[in-house]
C-alpha cells in the first residue's frame, strides 16, 4: 500500500488550525454586534446601580421633563424617568425577541424537516398548511389570535409562534431537499442508522445555520411588531416597562414631548443594529465552516 | 515551425484567506503555427489559470504580476483594453469545459452564434452572418442546422452544446484556440466525437490549438507537443512521442505509470501510484515542488530554483536528475 | 473464478427494474395526464460470486448508480429480486433490513459530499462502531485507529474535519467508514472518478489490497473502461438501463461482442501515441431515456442495426462460457475492427 501522506493538511500545525477554528474572533461585525448587545444587557442588570429612579412609581409633580443632566432621557407623562424605564425594559424586550423567534423556529424547523425528509403525503399536508399560514398577513394573524386568547405575554408568544413558524418550515424544507441528496445522508442510510438519528445528527445541524441567520433579522421584526401590539393594547400591559408600550403610551405627546417616543425607539434601533451585525458575523463564520 | 504565441515568465497570483496563492508560476512556452499543443496536469496545477491569464479573463481578485505573451509582435498582457478586445474572440478564441454554463440560456442559438461575427465585423450583414452560422453548425456536425438556429441551449444535449461552443469559437476564424478541457464533462463516446472533430477542424483550417486536459490518453491521441504542469509550473515540454516513450521528469513518468491502460488481451499490469498528494500552492515546498513525492529526490532538490533545461531536441525538463531516469521499458 | 456456476453466488439479482415516475406533480394529477416513466434500470439479472469484483461500466445515465443503490435498498426497486446469500432483501421488513445493512456497504463517488462536514473522522467512525455495537466502548478508539491504518491514513487524522483533507484522503475516509461495518459486500460507485489521476492509482491499489486482505466482494461501478479492466474479475456493460454484455474480464476486453462495448473500447483515448484512429468510434448520442427507441435500444447508434433490431429487443443470451450478449447480430460484430489508420504522418 502506498505511503500514508497528509498532503497539505499535514503541514498545518495545531496552532494554525486552532487559529482558523477561532475565526469568529476575527469577525469585526460579530464582535461589535455581540459587544453592543452584551453592553445593553449588562447595563440593564446594573440598572439599579446606574440610575436611582424607580421604573414604575409615578411622580406626578415631575411630568414631561425634557432630557437634562438629571433625567438623561427626560420623564414621561407620569413623571417616571424614561432612561430608567428603557434600561429596565432591555431584558424583557430581548426575552420577547428571542423567545418569540425561538418557538416558531423550533416548530418550523421540526415540521419543515419532517416534510422535507419524509416527503410524500406528509410533505404535501405540511406544505399546504404552510401556504395557508403564509397567505395571512403576519400582523393580522397575530392580532386575531391575541384577540381570541386575550392580551398577555403568553398569548403573545402563542400568536407569534403560530404566525411565524411557516417561514422556518419553508427554509428547513428547502435546505433538507438539498441535503437529502448529499451523499453523506445516503451514506448514513447505508450505514443502517435510524431515521431519527439521521435527522438529528446528520441533517438538522446542517440546516440550523441558515435558520439562525434568518432568525437574527427576524428578532428585530418581532420586537417591532410587539410595538404595534402594544399600540393596540394587546402586548405587554402597563405599567411594566417595555419599549413597545412606552412608544404607544408616548404617542399622544409626540408633538410636545418628542423624547417619550424617540428615545425608546432609539433603543430598538440599537438592538436591531446589534442583532443584524451579530447575524452577519455569524453568517460569515458558519458559512465558511463548510 | 513558425512561432505564433510566445509566453514568457507568466506569473499569476490570487489573494486568498490563507495568503497569496501563486496559481501560475513563471510559465514559459511557445505555441507554433498550426499545431495542437497539449497542456496536461492534475486538478489545481494551474492549467485553466494559464489560459485565463492569456485571455485576461481572470477572477477579479487575481493578478498577472509578471510575464509577457507576444502575439504578432504585441504583448497581449500589455495591450490597451480596446486593442485587446480586437484580439480576444476574434484572433484568439477560447473553449471552456462547461459548455452549458458558457451559453446564455435566454438567447437563441443563432443569435449567440452570430453575435461575435457581427461585433467583430467579420461579416457585413445579418443575412451573411446567418448563412455562415448555418455553415458553421454543419461543420461541427449538428444535423439540420437551418432549423436549429431558432432553438435555445437547453434544447441541446451536452455534446451538442460543446459542438456549438466550438462553432462560436470558430466563427471569427481565429488564429489560436485555447480549449480548456473541452471534453472532460462528456461521456467517452461523445468525447471521442468532439476530439476527432477538433482534430479534423484544426487540420482543415490550420489554426493553432492549445488543448488543456488532465487525461494522458487525450494528449496521446491528439497533440503534437505537450507541456506538463505541476503545482503552477511547467516541468516538462516535449513532442508527444518523446514524452510518452522517454519522459525526462519523474512527475511525467509517475503520471504515465499510474494511469491504467486498456490491453488487447485483457491482461493488466499493476499500477505504481505517485505517493502523497499535490502541494498547497499558498505554501509550496521549497526547491523542486515535486520533491516531497519524488523517488529521486535528494538534498540538492530541496533548495534553489529549477528552470527548464534543454534535454533533447524539442525537449526541456526542469529536473536536475533527468539523466537518471533512463528509458521507460 | 471461471467456474462461477460451481460456487453459490453471494448476491443474485433477478429481473430487477427501477422506474421513476416523472412529472407526477400536482398539476399532472389534476389534469389526469398519464405520468411519464423513466426506466433507469430495466430487467437486469446478474450473479456475483464471493470474492469477485464485478465491474459495471456504461455512460452517464445508463443506470449504474441506480442499480448499485437498489442492491442496498437506498433506492427501492420497482420490481425484481435481490438475493443476498439466498435471502430476498427486498422482502425484508425494516428492522431486519437495518441488520442486513451491516453486511452491505457503499463507497460514494464524490469525496466532497459523501462526508458530513460537521463531524470529525473520530466521530464519523465512532458513530458507526457504537450505534451498531461493533466493538465494546473501550475498544472504539483503538478500532478507529486500526481502520485509519488499514486505509493508509495517519493516526493524527482522527480529530480533523473533512475539509482538512484532500480528495484522495477523503475517499479513504469513506472507505474506512464502509469497512467499519465489516461488510461482506461493497458497492463502490465510481470511487475514483472524482479524484486526481495520481491519486486514482492509490485508491485502486488500496481497494485491491483490501479485497485480498479482507476477502471482500465488490460491485465496482465506473465509466472508465481501463479502470474497470484494471480492478475487475468480471465485467458488465450497461446502456440505457439494460445490461447489454457481461463476461469475465479477459474475454470482455479481448473479444467484446456487443457493438456498444466495441464502440466504448474504441472511443477510450489510450495513453499511447502510436495507436490512434481518425474514425469516430460511435456516432450519435444516447436518445432521451423518457422515450427509449423500440426494439434494441442501441439501434439509433448501432452500425449493424437492421429491421429486426428496430422491432424486437434482443434478449441477453449466453454465447460462450460465461459470456452473455444482448444483440441480434453479435456474430457479425468483428473484433478487432479492420483499418485502424494513423491520422497523421
Ligand atoms: N477564483 C479563485 N480564487 C482562489 N483560488 C483560485 C481561484 N481559481 C483558481 N484558484 C486556484 O488556482 C490554482 C490553479 O487553478 P486552475 O483552475 O488553473 O487549475 P487547473 O489546472 O485548471 O485544474 P482543473 O483540472 O481542476 O481544472 C488552484 O490552486 C486553484 O485552487
Ligand atoms: N431520483 C431520480 N429521479 C428521477 N430520475 C432519476 C433519479 N435518479 C436517477 N434517475 C435517472 O435514471 C437514469 C439512470 O441514472 P443513474 O443510475 O444515476 O445513472 P449512472 O449512474 O449510470 O450515471 C438517468 O436517466 C437518471 O436521470
Ligand atoms: S529535481 Fe529532484 S525532486 Fe525535482 S523532480 Fe528532479 S529529482 Fe525529483
Ligand atoms: S441488436 Fe441490432 S441494433 Fe442492437 S446492438 Fe445488436 S446489431 Fe445493434
Ligand atoms: Mg481547469
Ligand atoms: Mg452514477
Amino acid at each position: 500500500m502506498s505511503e500514508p501522506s497528509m498532503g497539505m493538511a499535514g503541514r498545518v500545525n495545531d496552532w494554525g488550525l486552532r487559529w482558523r477554528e477561532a475565526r469568529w474572533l476575527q469577525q469585526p461585525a460579530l464582535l461589535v454586534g455581540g459587544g453592543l448587545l452584551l453592553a445593553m444587557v449588562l447595563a440593564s442588570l446594573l440598572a439599579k446601580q446606574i440610575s436611582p429612579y424607580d421604573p414604575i412609581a409615578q411622580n406626578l409633580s415631575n411630568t414631561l421633563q425634557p432630557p437634562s443632566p438629571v433625567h438623561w432621557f427626560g420623564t414621561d407623562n407620569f413623571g417616571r424617568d424614561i432612561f430608567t424605564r428603557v434600561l429596565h425594559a432591555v431584558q424583557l424586550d430581548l426575552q420577547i425577541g428571542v423567545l418569540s423567534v425561538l418557538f416558531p423556529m423550533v416548530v418550523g424547523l421540526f415540521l419543515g424537516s419532517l416534510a422535507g425528509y419524509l416527503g410524500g403525503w406528509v410533505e404535501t399536508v405540511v406544505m399546504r398548511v404552510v401556504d395557508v399560514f403564509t397567505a395571512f398577513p403576519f400582523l393580522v394573524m397575530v392580532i386575531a389570535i391575541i384577540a381570541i386568547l386575550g392580551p398577555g405575554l403568553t398569548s403573545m408568544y402563542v400568536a407569534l409562534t403560530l404566525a411565524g413558524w411557516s417561514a422556518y418550515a419553508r427554509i428547513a424544507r428547502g435546505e433538507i431537499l438539498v441535503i437529502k441528496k448529499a451523499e453523506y445522508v445516503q451514506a448514513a442510510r447505508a450505514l443502517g442508522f435510524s431515521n431519527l438519528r439521521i435527522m438529528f445528527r446528520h441533517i438538522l445541524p446542517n440546516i440550523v445555520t441558515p435558520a439562525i441567520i434568518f432568525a437574527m433579522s427576524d428578532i428585530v421584526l418581532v420586537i417591532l411588531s410587539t410595538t404595534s401590539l402594544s399600540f393596540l393594547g394587546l402586548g405587554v400591559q402597563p405599567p411594566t416597562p417595555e419599549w413597545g408600550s412606552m412608544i404607544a403610551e408616548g404617542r399622544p405627546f409626540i408633538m410636545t414631548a418628542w423624547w417619550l417616543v424617540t428615545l425608546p425607539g432609539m433603543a430598538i434601533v440599537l438592538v436591531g443594529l446589534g442583532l443584524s451585525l451579530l447575524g452577519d458575523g455569524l453568517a460569515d463564520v458558519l458559512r465558511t465552516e463548510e | 515551425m513558425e512561432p505564433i504565441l510566445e509566453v514568457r515568465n507568466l506569473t499569476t497570483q490570487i489573494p486568498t484567506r490563507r495568503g497569496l496563492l501563486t496559481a501560475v508560476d513563471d510559465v514559459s512556452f511557445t505555441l507554433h503555427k498550426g499545431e495542437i499543443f497539449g497542456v496536461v496536469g492534475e486538478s489545481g496545477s494551474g492549467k485553466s489559470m494559464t489560459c485565463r491569464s492569456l485571455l485576461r479573463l481572470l477572477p477579479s481578485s487575481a493578478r498577472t504580476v509578471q510575464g509577457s505573451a507576444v502575439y504578432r509582435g504585441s504583448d497581449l498582457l500589455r495591450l490597451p483594453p480596446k486593442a485587446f478586445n480586437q484580439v480576444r474572440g476574434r484572433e484568439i478564441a477560447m473553449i471552456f469545459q462547461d459548455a452549458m454554463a458558457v451559453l446564455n440560456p435566454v438567447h437563441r442559438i443563432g443569435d449567440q452564434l452570430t453575435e461575435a461575427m457581427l461585433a467583430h465585423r467579420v461579416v457585413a450583414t445579418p443575412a451573411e452572418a446567418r448563412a455562415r452560422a448555418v455553415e458553421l453548425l454543419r461543420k461541427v456536425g449538428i444535423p439540420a442546422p437551418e432549423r436549429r438556429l431558432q432553438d435555445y441551449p437547453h434544447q441541446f444535449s451536452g455534446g451538442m452544446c460543446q459542438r456549438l461552443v466550438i462553432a462560436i469559437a470558430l466563427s471569427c476564424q481565429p488564429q489560436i484556440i485555447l480549449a480548456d478541457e473541452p471534453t472532460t464533462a462528456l461521456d467517452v463516446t461523445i468525447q471521442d466525437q468532439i476530439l476527432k472533430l477538433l482534430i479534423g477542424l484544426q487540420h482543415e483550417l490550420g489554426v493553432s490549438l492549445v488543448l488543456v486536459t488532465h487525461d494522458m490518453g487525450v494528449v496521446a491521441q491528439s497533440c503534437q507537443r505537450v507541456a506538463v504542469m505541476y503545482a503552477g509550473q511547467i516541468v516538462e515540454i516535449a513532442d508527444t512521442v518523446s514524452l510518452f516513450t522517454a519522459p525526462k521528469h519523474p512527475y511525467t513518468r509517475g503520471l504515465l505509470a499510474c494511469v491504467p491502460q486498456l490491453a488487447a488481451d485483457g491482461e493488466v499490469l499493476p499500477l505504481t501510484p505517485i505517493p502523497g498528494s499535490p502541494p498547497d500552492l499558498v505554501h509550496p515546498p521549497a526547491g523542486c515542488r515535486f520533491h516531497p513525492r519524488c523517488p529521486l529526490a535528494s538534498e540538492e532538490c530541496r533548495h534553489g530554483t529549477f528552470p527548464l533545461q534543454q534535454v533533447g531536441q524539442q525537449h526541456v525538463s526542469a529536473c536536475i536528475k533527468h539523466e537518471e531516469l533512463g528509458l521507460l521499458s | 473464478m471461471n467456474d462461477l456456476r460451481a460456487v453459490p453466488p453471494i448476491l443474485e439479482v433477478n429481473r430487477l427494474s427501477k422506474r421513476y415516475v416523472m412529472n407526477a406533480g400536482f398539476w399532472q394529477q389534476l389534469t389526469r395526464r398519464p405520468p411519464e416513466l423513466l426506466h433507469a434500470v430495466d430487467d437486469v439479472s446478474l450473479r456475483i460470486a464471493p470474492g469477485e469484483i464485478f465491474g459495471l461500466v456504461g455512460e452517464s445515465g445508463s443506470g449504474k448508480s441506480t442499480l448499485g443503490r437498489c442492491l442496498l435498498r437506498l433506492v427501492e426497486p420497482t420490481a425484481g429480486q435481490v438475493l443476498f446469500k439466498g435471502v430476498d432483501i427486498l422482502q425484508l421488513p425494516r428492522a431486519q433490513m437495518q441488520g442486513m445493512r451491516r453486511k452491505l456497504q457503499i463507497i460514494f463517488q464524490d469525496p466532497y459530499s459523501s462526508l458530513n462536514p460537521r463531524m470529525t473522522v473520530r466521530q464519523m467512525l465512532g458513530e458507526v462502531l457504537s450505534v451498531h455495537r461493533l466493538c465494546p466502548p473501550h475498544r472504539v478508539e483503538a478500532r478507529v485507529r486500526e481502520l485509519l491504518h488499514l486505509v493508509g491514513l495517519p493516526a493524527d487524522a482522527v480529530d480533523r474535519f473533512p475539509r482538512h483533507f484532500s480528495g484522495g484522503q477523503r475517499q479513504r475516509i469513506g472507505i474506512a467508514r464502509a469497512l467499519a461495518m465489516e461488510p461482506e459486500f461493497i458497492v463502490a460507485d465510481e470511487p475514483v472518478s472524482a479524484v486526481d489521476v495520481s491519486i486514482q492509482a492509490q485508491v485502486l491499489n488500496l481497494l485491491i489490497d483490501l479485497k485480498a486482505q479482507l476477502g471482500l466482494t465488490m460491485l465496482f461501478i465506473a465509466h472508465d473502461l481501463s479502470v474497470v479492466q484494471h480492478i475487475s474479475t468480471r465485467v458488465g456493460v450497461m446502456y440505457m438501463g439494460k445490461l447489454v454484455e457481461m463476461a469475465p474480464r479477459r474475454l470482455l476486453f479481448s473479444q467484446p461482442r456487443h457493438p456498444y462495448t466495441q464502440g466504448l473500447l474504441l472511443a477510450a483515448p489510450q495513453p499511447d501515441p502510436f495507436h490512434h484512429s481518425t474514425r469516430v468510434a460511435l456516432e450519435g448520442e444516447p436518445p432521451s431515456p423518457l422515450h427509449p427507441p423500440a426494439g434494441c435500444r442501441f439501434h439509433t447508434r448501432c452500425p449493424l442495426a437492421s429491421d429486426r433490431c428496430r422491432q424486437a429487443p434482443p434478449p441477453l443470451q449466453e454465447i460462450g462460457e460465461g459470456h452473455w450478449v444482448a444483440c441480434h447480430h453479435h456474430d457479425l460484430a468483428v473484433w478487432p475492427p479492420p483499418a485502424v489508420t494513423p491520422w497523421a504522418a
Side-chain angles (χ1 to χ4, degrees), chain B residues 47-49 97 180-181 212:
Chain B
K47 310 180 294 291
S48 303
M49 280 298 170
Q97 167 172 348
D180 187 2
E181 312 228 18
V212 172

Side-chain angles (χ1 to χ4, degrees), chain C residues 64-65 109 189-190:
Chain C
K64 309 179 297 291
S65 301
Q109 165 173 2
D189 189 358
E190 309 218 19

Side-chain angles (χ1 to χ4, degrees), chain A residues 205-283:
Chain A
N206 288 301
I207 64 165
V208 167
T209 309
I212 287 182
I213 291 165
F214 178 77
M216 287 298 162
S217 54
D218 206 22
I219 293 185
V220 184
L221 287 179
V222 164
I223 295 182
L224 283 176
S225 58
T226 59
T227 315
S228 325
L229 291 180
S230 305
F231 237 87
L232 300 167
L234 294 174
V236 175
Q237 298 302 303
T240 315
E242 192 271 330
W243 300 331
S245 59
M246 288 169 73
I247 294 175
E249 284 176 50
R251 199 180 57 104
F253 306 95
I254 192 157
M255 300 308 285
T256 48
W258 56 268
W259 55 93
L260 257 61
V261 172
T262 316
L263 295 175
M266 289 291 295
I268 295 184
V269 170
L270 221 56
V271 168
L273 193 69
L275 283 170
S276 64
L277 284 174
L278 192 70
D280 277 1
L282 219 55

Side-chain angles (χ1 to χ4, degrees), chain B residues 14-16 21-24 41-50 52 59 61-62 97 180-181 212-214 229 281, chain C residues 196:
Chain B
I14 310 168
T16 68
L21 182 153
T22 308
V24 180
E42 294 176 80
S43 178
S45 57
K47 310 180 294 291
S48 303
M49 280 298 170
T50 303
R52 287 168 178 270
S61 58
Q97 167 172 348
D180 187 2
E181 312 228 18
V212 172
T213 175
H214 66 267
M229 282 193 84
L281 294 184
Chain C
D196 260 320

Side-chain angles (χ1 to χ4, degrees), chain C:
Chain C
M1 203 59 53
N2 277 336
D3 198 9
L4 281 168
R5 262 160 275 230
V7 212
I10 185 169
L11 191 92
E12 187 174 343
V13 178
N14 291 327
R15 313 206 58 172
L16 192 77
S17 294
K18 172 66 189 177
R19 285 189 291 276
Y20 285 108
V21 182
M22 309 300 282
N23 304 325
F26 186 63
W27 186 243
Q28 249 75 17
Q29 286 168 16
L30 211 66
T31 54
R32 294 177 180 262
R33 196 141 30 110
E36 293 183 289
L37 289 182
L38 189 153
H39 295 258
V41 172
D42 195 3
D43 200 9
V44 168
S45 303
L46 51 90
R47 293 153 160 244
I48 300 179
E52 259 198 303
I53 297 188
F54 187 92
L56 196 58
V57 274
E59 294 180 271
S60 79
S62 58
K64 309 179 297 291
S65 301
T66 305
L67 176 61
R69 277 158 215 221
C70 282
L71 302 189
L72 271 66
R73 277 180 77 183
L74 287 176
V75 163
E76 288 294 336
T78 317
Q81 275 185 321
V82 176
L83 305 178
F84 178 69
K85 293 185 165 173
V87 181
D88 186 353
I89 63 164
L90 301 184
Q91 302 302 327
L92 284 184
R94 232 187 137 88
Q96 283 178 47
M97 188 57 214
Q98 298 294 55
M100 200 55 103
R101 286 257 151 87
R102 270 196 55 187
K103 315 242 171 75
L104 305 166
Q105 276 304 301
I106 180 164
I107 302 168
F108 292 92
Q109 165 173 2
D110 185 350
Y112 291 89
S113 86
S114 59
L115 304 177
N116 187 338
R118 285 172 192 278
M119 288 170 91
T120 62
V121 172
R122 186 205 306 275
Q123 288 168 337
M124 245 179 286
L125 299 180
E127 180 180 34
V128 176
L129 295 173
S130 48
V131 165
H132 293 288
R133 303 209 174 74
L134 293 170
C135 69
H138 67 273
R139 281 268 304 140
V140 166
E141 185 66 27
R143 177 71 181 142
V144 166
R145 277 163 205 279
E146 208 173 286
L147 284 165
L148 289 182
H149 181 71
L150 196 62
V151 297
L153 283 171
D156 65 356
V158 286
D159 286 318
R160 299 227 169 96
F161 289 93
R163 62 175 178 277
H164 295 139
F165 295 95
S166 68
Q169 291 171 331
R170 285 166 180 242
Q171 205 51 288
R172 289 171 195 261
I173 299 173
I175 295 171
R177 183 177 60 187
L179 292 179
M181 299 281 268
E182 297 162 35
E184 292 173 49
F185 181 80
I186 291 186
V187 173
D189 189 358
E190 309 218 19
V192 294
S193 302
V195 301
D196 260 320
V197 225
S198 78
I199 310 296
Q200 172 176 309
Q202 295 178 5
V203 177
L204 285 177
N205 283 358
L206 172 65
L207 288 174
I208 292 171
D209 277 357
L210 289 172
K211 183 215 146 192
Q213 220 174 321
L214 308 174
L216 293 170
T217 308
M218 219 182 291
L219 178 75
F220 185 94
I221 299 174
H223 63 258
D224 184 336
L225 281 161
S226 31
V227 167
V228 162
Q229 182 196 42
H230 189 79
I231 198 167
S232 314
T233 48
R234 217 147 51 90
V235 181
V237 181
M238 280 185 86
Y239 185 74
M240 294 193 76
K242 289 273 191 195
L243 196 60
V244 296
E245 183 161 11
M246 176 164 66
R249 178 191 65 213
R250 240 186 285 184
L251 207 53
L252 190 108
F253 285 93
S254 59
Q255 292 165 45
R257 299 303 293 277
H258 196 282
Y260 178 62
T261 313
Q262 298 186 346
L264 276 183
L265 280 167
L266 287 178
Q270 284 312 295
D272 174 0
F274 298 110
H275 174 275
H276 39 208
S277 134
T278 40
R279 262 223 334 248
V280 168
L282 257 189
E283 298 285 358
E285 302 185 359
S288 157
L290 283 174
H291 310 285
C296 174
R297 290 191 180 176
F298 187 55
H299 82 239
T300 53
R301 303 174 74 190
C302 181
L304 299 179
S306 66
D307 281 343
R308 185 171 165 212
C309 307
R310 285 180 268 274
Q311 280 143 19
L316 187 68
Q317 33 179 322
E318 190 166 16
I319 57 161
E321 185 75 35
H323 193 160
W324 297 74
V325 180
C327 172
H328 293 309
H329 304 305
H330 61 82
D331 45 343
L332 300 180
V334 194
W335 187 263
V340 176
T341 46
W343 57 270

Side-chain angles (χ1 to χ4, degrees), chain A residues 4 30 34 52 56 58 66 81 128 137 142 156 158 163 180 189 208 210 221 225 228 239 242 248 269 271 273:
Chain A
L30 192 92
I56 294 175
Q58 304 185 354
D81 181 59
R128 288 298 153 267
V142 173
M156 196 163 85
V158 173
K180 207 164 78 163
R189 288 181 58 203
V208 167
L221 287 179
S225 58
S228 325
E242 192 271 330
V269 170
V271 168
L273 193 69

